[in-house]
């Protein structure tokens, strides 16, 4: 779903813009932005951090996790500064694509950003539905191991719930949902860390081996796959849309929201990565919950505790799916809604229900059809999050503020762009390699998710 790039006067905030008025309404405070940012970044993907350490080892794992955190905080802060600068100049941007097109002065950049952003957001929505369906399947299997229900049926249940929740009209209306999401992320991280400690001191504690793979080529490929995983976990891709929910003037508000978000990141990312990798070493699964609940043998932590963790993960996945659907909804609403009518008028309500429901059905169908979507998402993450979160913000800042080439800021931005361009290319190659290696396990509408 594409749209023509706006003219300069249309890039400013306009009351005649239905997408801005209804979906990206600007009423929020800085802590609301913190809730949105935390939901967009701190999700169940943090349960893959021990697996990322498996491909890097202790030293490089800590280094990459810390560098990614510092670089993304810096990147998102620069992007918020660019948005604030444009607002003071009378051009308040509420969409990533319009900001990039305006600052870089290139029509193709508008379409590049909308393609990358839409691919990422749709991919995450599909992944959220798939993982939520898997959570339901895990709970069902623990109660009825030989039950007749299949994965696609649980995905259908999740899709119906998402169709109902998708009718929350605006990004700002998700603020309470995303506050709950923040607490859920803290809760299941605490549960996972506690479960790992329990597993590590129990009589069934697994043997620990932190060695890397024997082949140098495999070590390098695994390392870049792990780096891509960490980059994707820190990825966001919707900072301008989140900043758009803030009531103007926005100066300084986004920085406070980022501080809240990265406080949660510090508490969750390091504790999940360290506890999981310490207990399971290079035998850790791509999802730490799978290591704690092995297919063979007893669970390595109390079943009720792990079940509670799965429930918390399931609930947060609904919030994540909603957050990353907002760009699609904004595009739909811009084209389908009449800003002269009320938000809940029949003229606007009926198209909203139909279009958002169809979008969720689309995402649910692909989640059921491609239960190996995690591998595909790895490629999308490497190709999408790297340019949006590690390259464009630095480029936009240098183009907007024009720091002297003799300054530290200019060169650190250039170095980050060059390094992460290389990381993105190598990460894409390693992700495609994993996709090819796992291809024999792929089966449409399978009842099992490929690890």
């Amino acid at each position: 779903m594409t749209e023509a790039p706006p003219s300069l006067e249309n890039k400013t905030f306009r009351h005649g813009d239905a997408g801005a008025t209804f979906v990206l309404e600007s009423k929020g405070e800085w802590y609301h932005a913190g809730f949105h940012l935390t939901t967009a970044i701190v999700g169940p993907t943090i349960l893959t951090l021990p697996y990322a350490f498996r491909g890097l080892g202790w030293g490089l794992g800590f280094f990459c996790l810390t560098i990614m955190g510092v670089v993304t905080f810096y990147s998102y802060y620069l992007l918020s500064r660019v948005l604030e600068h444009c607002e003071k100049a009378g051009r308040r941007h509420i969409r990533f694509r319009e900001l990039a097109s305006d600052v870089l002065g290139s029509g193709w950049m508008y379409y590049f950003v909308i393609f990358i952003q839409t691919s990422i957001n749709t991919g995450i929505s599909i992944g959220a539905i798939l993982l939520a369906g898997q959570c339901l399947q895990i709970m069902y299997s623990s109660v009825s191991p030989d039950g007749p229900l299949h994965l696609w049926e649980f995905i259908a249940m999740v899709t119906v719930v998402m169709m109902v929740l998708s009718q929350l009209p605006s990004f700002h209306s998700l603020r309470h949902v995303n506050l709950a999401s923040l607490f859920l992320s803290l809760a299941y991280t605490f549960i996972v860390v506690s479960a790992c400690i329990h597993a590590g001191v129990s009589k069934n504690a697994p043997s620990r081996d932190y060695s890397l793979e024997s082949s140098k080529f495999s070590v390098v490929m695994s390392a870049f796959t792990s780096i891509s995983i960490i980059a994707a976990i820190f990825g966001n891709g919707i900072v301008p849309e989140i900043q758009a929910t803030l009531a103007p003037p926005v100066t300084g508000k986004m920085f406070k929201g980022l501080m809240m978000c990265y406080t949660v990141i510090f508490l969750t990312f390091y504790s999940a990565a360290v506890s999981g990798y310490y207990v399971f070493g290079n035998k850790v699964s791509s999802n730490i919950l799978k290591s704690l609940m092995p297919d063979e043998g007893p669970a390595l932590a109390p079943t009720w505790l792990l079940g509670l963790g799965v429930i918390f993960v399931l609930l947060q996945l609904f919030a994540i799916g909603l957050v990353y659907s907002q760009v699609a909804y904004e595009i739909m609403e811009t084209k389908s809604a009449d800003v002269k009518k009320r938000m809940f008028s029949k003229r606007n309500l009926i198209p909203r229900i139909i279009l958002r429901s169809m979008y969720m059905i689309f995402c649910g169908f692909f989640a059921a059809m491609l239960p190996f979507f995690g591998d595909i998402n790895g490629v999308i993450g490497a190709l999408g999050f790297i340019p949006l979160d590690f390259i464009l913000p630095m480029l936009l800042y240098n183009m907007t503020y024009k720091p002297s080439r003799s300054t530290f800021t200019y060169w650190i931005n250039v170095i980050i762009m060059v390094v992460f361009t290389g990381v993105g290319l190598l990460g894409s190659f390693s992700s495609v390699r994993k996709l090819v290696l796992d291809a024999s396990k792929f089966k449409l509408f399978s009842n099992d998710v490929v690890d």
Side-chain angles (χ1 to χ4, degrees):
M1 188 181 301
T2 59
E3 52 187 292
S7 59
L8 183 59
E9 63 270 17
N10 286 340
K11 290 178 184 176
T12 58
F13 177 75
R14 297 175 298 130
H15 289 292
D17 185 334
T21 303
F22 294 150
V23 181
L24 299 178
E25 57 179 353
S26 304
K27 295 181 178 180
E29 300 295 338
W30 69 266
Y31 45 86
H32 296 145
F35 303 160
H36 301 325
L37 285 165
T38 303
T39 300
I41 300 175
V42 186
T45 48
I46 67 174
L47 303 181
T48 65
L49 281 171
Y51 180 78
F53 269 49
R54 167 179 152 176
L56 296 167
W58 281 114
L60 196 55
F62 268 113
F63 176 78
C64 289
L65 186 62
T66 303
I67 288 296
M68 290 292 184
V70 171
V71 170
T72 51
F73 182 91
Y74 175 71
S75 172
Y76 300 148
Y77 174 65
L78 290 190
L79 194 54
S80 72
R81 288 281 307 280
V82 173
L83 289 162
E84 290 173 7
H85 177 89
C86 291
E87 181 181 0
K88 290 175 183 176
R91 308 189 317 275
R92 187 182 186 209
H93 294 293
I94 59 173
R95 302 173 176 94
F96 206 144
R97 57 191 183 273
E98 293 179 1
L99 172 67
S101 180
D102 180 23
V103 174
L104 300 177
S106 173
W108 70 265
M109 182 58 69
Y110 179 89
Y111 293 109
F112 171 78
V113 172
I114 197 172
F115 173 75
I116 294 292
Q117 195 180 39
T118 304
S119 299
I120 289 174
N121 293 353
T122 304
I124 292 175
S125 297
I126 293 171
I129 292 174
L130 172 60
L131 290 176
Q134 189 183 17
C135 287
L136 284 179
Q137 185 186 41
I138 289 170
M139 290 188 287
Y140 175 75
S141 298
S142 66
V143 176
S144 179
D146 300 316
L149 295 182
H150 299 88
L151 177 61
W152 69 264
E153 293 171 280
F154 296 110
I155 290 173
M157 296 175 196
V158 172
T159 302
V160 171
V161 175
M162 288 298 295
M163 287 168 63
V164 174
L165 294 176
S166 70
Q167 303 310 316
L168 289 168
S170 68
F171 208 150
H172 181 64
S173 66
L174 300 181
R175 62 194 183 280
H176 302 302
V177 173
N178 290 340
L179 172 60
S181 169
L182 186 155
F183 286 115
L184 286 168
S185 66
L186 290 170
Y188 65 67
T189 300
F190 176 77
I191 286 173
V192 165
V193 171
S194 300
C196 285
I197 293 172
H198 182 278
V201 299
S202 70
K203 63 179 181 179
N204 295 321
S207 58
R208 293 164 195 164
D209 182 2
Y210 306 111
S211 61
L212 302 178
E213 297 185 57
S214 55
S215 163
K216 288 186 178 180
F217 178 77
S218 297
V219 168
V220 172
M221 288 296 99
S222 296
F224 276 103
T225 299
S226 295
I227 291 170
S228 295
I229 290 170
I230 296 174
I233 291 171
F234 274 104
N236 184 308
I238 53 174
V239 168
E241 286 76 10
I242 291 175
Q243 188 155 326
T245 66
L246 292 170
V250 301
T251 303
K253 293 180 180 178
M254 201 64 173
F255 178 75
K256 294 179 181 178
L258 283 167
M259 289 297 292
M260 174 193 287
C261 173
Y262 275 75
T263 299
V264 178
I265 285 174
F266 178 78
L267 293 172
T268 55
F269 282 32
Y270 283 94
S271 57
V274 170
S275 61
Y277 186 57
Y278 174 74
V279 172
F280 295 100
N282 60 16
K283 299 296 190 295
V284 69
S285 299
S286 62
N287 184 331
I288 190 63
L289 287 174
K290 284 190 174 183
S291 295
L292 291 164
M293 295 185 290
D295 293 332
E296 298 179 3
L300 299 178
T303 304
W304 66 267
L305 184 66
L306 296 175
L308 189 61
V310 171
I311 291 172
F312 289 162
V313 168
L314 169 65
L315 293 175
Q316 201 208 16
L317 284 166
F318 289 120
I320 292 170
L322 291 174
V323 163
Y324 278 99
S325 298
Q326 296 306 305
V327 171
Y329 297 161
E330 176 268 315
I331 294 172
M332 296 174 191
E333 212 99 336
T334 299
K335 294 295 184 182
S336 66
D338 184 350
V339 75
K340 296 177 182 177
K341 304 288 186 181
R342 290 178 295 107
M343 182 184 290
F344 292 103
S345 65
K346 186 184 294 185
R347 164 65 183 80
N348 290 328
L349 183 62
I350 293 175
R352 182 184 303 126
I353 292 173
I354 293 173
L355 289 173
R356 295 189 181 192
S357 297
M358 287 176 62
Y359 178 77
M360 282 302 163
I361 291 171
F362 170 85
C363 291
F365 175 77
F366 274 90
M369 185 174 73
L370 307 173
F372 46 86
F373 193 75
D375 279 2
I376 299 174
N377 237 4
V379 180
I380 294 173
L383 292 174
F385 280 125
I386 294 289
L388 287 189
D389 294 329
F390 295 88
I391 299 173
L392 269 180
M394 285 67 181
L395 179 61
L396 292 172
Y397 183 88
N398 281 0
M399 293 289 290
T400 300
Y401 284 91
K402 296 179 172 57
S404 169
R405 294 195 176 191
S406 62
T407 61
F408 176 78
T409 300
Y410 176 85
W411 284 107
I412 197 68
N413 289 349
V414 170
I415 290 170
I416 289 172
M417 286 189 284
V418 171
V419 168
F420 280 94
T421 297
V423 168
L425 293 173
L426 289 171
S428 300
F429 176 78
S430 62
S431 296
V432 170
R433 176 176 174 268
K434 186 176 187 302
L435 192 68
V436 172
L437 292 174
D438 288 345
S440 61
K441 306 175 188 176
F442 296 163
K443 183 179 178 182
L444 297 180
F445 298 101
S446 171
N447 197 43
D448 298 305
V449 177
V450 174
D451 187 7

